[in-house]
Amino acid sequence: MERAGIVENMAANAAVKADSPQPKNQLTDTETYSKNILGPVSFVLSNLRVAGQAGLPEDKTVAPDQSPYIVATNEEFYLSVDITFNESPLSALLMCLGTRMTVDFSFEGLGGRATEIDWAVTDVTQKDDFSYTLTFVSTPEAAKLVPGLYAIAAVASIGPVENKCSQHILGYGYIAKQLLQVYPA
């Protein structure tokens, strides 16, 4: 009962015309929305890396150091790239929703016998995580790389969100300029 009296008093006060410096209409367009509340979404594709996993050679007179860029056909190597998103509210939402990140690593053979092949790595964003490293691990044999020299590039496709409401790619990125030499084991 007491509650009904409060509501009636508020309604009566609202009906009274106020003679004050306050504007009559307090709900203006500048108070109800902002054009930049979510902010832009962007990402940086960086640090394209390739390296073989062989240790130092036993006979150091032949090769005193092991080059990580020269691998045997049966030697495991890794290829990775970093993706870092800005930390806007919209980026945070997309990370939480699970945005798909796909990186196509391209091996372009230089020379007559070296092949050209692409391998894709996919991951999904996680809540509150704005930095990711996508890595491809293989041997040249398993990756179908014959002996030769390869120029390596990475093309990133960000999106869509792993949700039935999103079907769009949100952005693309490209990074290149790494070399890998494969020799017969």
Side-chain angles (χ1 to χ4, degrees):
M1 238 202 249
E2 193 173 309
R3 178 113 175 107
I6 292 173
V7 172
E8 290 171 6
N9 285 340
M10 290 179 68
N13 287 339
V16 174
K17 194 173 192 179
D19 291 330
S20 68
Q22 294 292 327
K24 294 177 183 176
N25 183 3
Q26 291 186 351
L27 298 175
T28 66
D29 58 348
T30 59
E31 295 176 20
T32 57
Y33 80 97
S34 169
K35 293 180 182 178
N36 298 314
I37 194 163
L38 295 177
V41 176
S42 62
F43 68 93
V44 175
L45 185 64
S46 61
N47 300 323
L48 178 63
R49 300 174 293 278
V50 61
Q53 301 298 303
L56 294 175
E58 292 179 19
D59 182 5
K60 294 198 186 269
T61 59
V62 176
D65 292 320
Q66 173 70 30
S67 171
Y69 310 111
I70 301 173
V71 298
T73 53
N74 62 354
E75 178 184 338
E76 187 173 81
F77 72 97
Y78 78 90
L79 183 57
S80 66
V81 68
D82 296 334
I83 300 174
T84 306
F85 292 89
N86 69 323
E87 294 189 24
S88 71
L90 183 55
S91 294
L93 174 64
L94 291 172
M95 298 304 104
C96 187
L97 289 174
T99 301
R100 187 180 318 136
M101 303 172 290
T102 301
V103 175
D104 289 299
F105 291 108
S106 174
F107 297 85
E108 182 177 341
L110 304 174
R113 294 187 186 155
T115 57
E116 294 185 15
I117 195 161
D118 294 340
W119 290 98
V121 175
T122 299
D123 199 0
V124 177
T125 61
Q126 302 294 316
K127 182 179 191 256
D128 297 330
D129 191 357
F130 295 91
S131 295
Y132 300 87
T133 299
L134 275 69
T135 304
F136 174 74
V137 179
S138 184
T139 64
E141 287 173 339
K144 300 179 182 161
L145 300 173
V146 299
L149 181 64
Y150 295 88
I152 300 172
V155 177
S157 302
I158 307 300
V161 172
E162 295 293 320
N163 182 298
K164 64 182 178 182
C165 298
S166 176
Q167 300 301 319
H168 304 286
I169 296 294
L170 303 173
Y172 295 98
Y174 173 80
I175 189 170
K177 303 275 183 173
Q178 288 292 334
L179 296 175
L180 179 69
Q181 176 71 44
V182 177
Y183 66 92

